[in-house]
Amino acid sequence: MKKFFESGLAFMLVALVWIAVGLLSGRPGLGALGVFWLVLAIAVRARSTKKQRPTPESQRKDDAT
């Protein structure tokens, strides 16, 4: 479950729901809230991929073995 939130997929799912509700109800404010969640999801996903990127030193150690 932790990976689901760290990858940003949970926030993308929430964004999808809010955008769909905004489109179906005709209330643009709800769609704008969905865009907010989508931006948040992209930021979380970028931050998590930045943390997971291997450093050049760890790549050299992996290549040596």
Side-chain angles (χ1 to χ4, degrees):
M1 189 70 151
K2 184 177 179 181
K3 287 184 181 182
F4 188 63
F5 282 95
E6 286 179 352
S7 67
L9 292 176
F11 300 111
M12 287 184 192
L13 183 63
V14 170
L16 180 67
V17 168
W18 279 106
I19 291 171
V21 167
L23 289 174
L24 293 174
S25 69
R27 296 177 65 189
L30 296 176
L33 191 59
V35 171
F36 166 76
W37 283 106
L38 185 62
V39 169
L40 185 65
I42 292 169
V44 168
R45 188 164 180 90
R47 190 180 75 190
S48 72
T49 56
K50 187 185 246 186
K51 285 183 181 178
Q52 295 174 358
R53 217 176 270 159
T55 61
E57 292 177 5
S58 66
Q59 288 179 343
R60 288 184 200 136
K61 289 178 185 177
D62 292 340
D63 292 339
T65 56

